[in-house]
Amino acid sequence: QRIFIAISAAGVFRTDDAGKTWRPANKGLKSQYELPDPDAEVGHCVHRIAMHPTRPNVLFMQKHWDVMRSDDAGESWHEISGDLPSDFGFPIAVHAHEPNTVYVVPIKSDSEHYPPDGKLRVYRSRTGGNEWEALTKGLPQQDCYVNILRDAMAVDSLDPCGLYFGTTGGQVYASADGGDSWNPIVRDLPAVLSVEVQTLR
């Protein structure tokens, strides 16, 4: 019966009755540059939320600024940006078999939509946030000025877990080893807005 939605420039909303009624779920979010009221209940720019099906009370969020986590199904949020080079970005994803392993793609800022230093890096936390490692093998590490949009990252259910993301430069990158290494599986597309993956057995 429970559903969460995330709306850019509005925030997270939760229903416990299959959509008959909704309520905001934004306690703990701060939007000092967007909202005059730092504790506003509605109006936060949430880019993406992610959840592992085995832990429905744990939510991860990539906000306009800040990477956030809730351990009580959205009743409250706390920041887990930790040592990321930038806490601005769009997608966030959770590993298929490791509920505490999370992936984000930092972007320089809300006015400069490309990776910091022109280096395309996916960041992984195996501890549910705060401690992040850069995953760079197979990804361009100079002169890369693409963006990865909110729906442009997906995971599969294979073991080891596969990850995929698309860029505004028209590339789709895939990792068959949980992010340790990457390969461009598609090039020269128009800007990739959304990536979905289906596992055929």
Side-chain angles (χ1 to χ4, degrees):
Q1 301 291 302
R2 180 178 295 165
I3 305 168
F4 297 95
I5 61 170
I7 304 173
S8 183
V12 175
F13 297 83
R14 168 180 158 178
T15 176
D16 293 308
D17 54 18
K20 293 186 181 73
T21 60
W22 294 87
R23 61 184 175 88
N26 299 302
K27 186 178 179 183
L29 301 186
K30 303 294 181 186
S31 299
Q32 58 181 343
Y33 301 113
E34 292 90 28
L35 292 175
D37 177 3
D39 297 310
E41 193 174 48
V42 175
H44 301 278
C45 193
V46 178
H47 289 172
R48 182 79 172 176
I49 53 176
M51 176 188 76
H52 195 275
T54 65
R55 293 200 306 177
N57 288 331
V58 179
L59 300 172
F60 297 97
M61 173 194 294
Q62 174 67 70
K63 206 166 131 288
H64 191 88
W65 290 102
D66 304 329
V67 180
M68 307 292 288
R69 172 176 174 156
S70 173
D71 293 307
D72 51 16
E75 297 290 348
S76 62
W77 295 88
H78 61 277
E79 187 177 353
I80 56 168
S81 304
D83 55 2
L84 288 170
S86 168
D87 58 9
F88 185 89
F90 292 96
I92 190 165
V94 182
H95 191 287
H97 313 296
E98 301 171 12
N100 229 27
T101 297
V102 190
Y103 301 87
V104 296
V105 184
I107 295 299
K108 185 177 179 184
S109 73
D110 55 357
S111 61
E112 297 175 291
H113 286 183
Y114 56 84
D117 304 317
K119 299 177 180 181
L120 182 54
R121 294 167 287 184
V122 176
Y123 276 76
R124 175 175 63 196
S125 174
R126 295 186 186 275
T127 58
N130 289 322
E131 300 166 345
W132 299 88
E133 59 178 321
L135 307 175
T136 61
K137 187 176 180 182
L139 298 176
Q141 294 305 294
Q142 63 180 21
D143 303 323
C144 185
Y145 298 100
V146 298
N147 194 6
I148 294 83
L149 299 176
R150 66 197 74 206
D151 286 324
M153 177 176 270
V155 299
D156 67 27
S157 58
L158 298 176
D159 193 6
C161 177
L163 285 92
Y164 311 80
F165 70 88
T167 78
T168 55
Q171 304 87 29
V172 177
Y173 290 91
S175 171
D177 52 17
D180 290 336
S181 62
W182 298 86
N183 287 296
I185 58 172
V186 182
R187 293 181 184 270
D188 303 321
L189 292 174
V192 178
L193 307 183
S194 180
V195 173
E196 296 290 336
V197 58
Q198 182 179 9
T199 305
L200 302 177
R201 298 188 183 274

